[in-house]
Amino acid sequence: MLDTIIVIAIVCVAAYFVGRRFLRPFTSKQTSCGCSGCGQSGSCCGSSKDGPEKSHCCGPR
């Protein structure tokens, strides 16, 4: 009986984290990070003046 409860708890925790990972992009309040629509002209897509730590307009990854 106890082993069944432990297995169910592990499955529930795993399902929570997997579900959260799949739902996070749909509930994000931040705009997408790409060159189109970032609002920072000249600093998108890893231009040479951004340096190695900044590869796109939304900051370092």
Side-chain angles (χ1 to χ4, degrees):
M1 177 70 176
L2 182 61
D3 55 345
T4 305
I5 294 172
I6 292 172
V7 169
I8 290 172
I10 291 171
V11 169
C12 288
V13 169
Y16 168 76
F17 284 111
V18 170
R20 188 176 79 164
R21 181 168 183 125
F22 282 116
L23 290 177
R24 191 169 273 188
F26 298 111
T27 61
S28 176
K29 292 180 178 139
Q30 181 182 15
T31 60
S32 64
C33 291
C35 286
S36 62
C38 71
Q40 296 180 8
S41 62
S43 65
C44 289
C45 290
S47 63
S48 62
K49 65 182 175 183
D50 288 338
E53 71 276 3
K54 188 172 182 181
S55 61
H56 55 84
C57 65
C58 295
R61 286 189 174 209

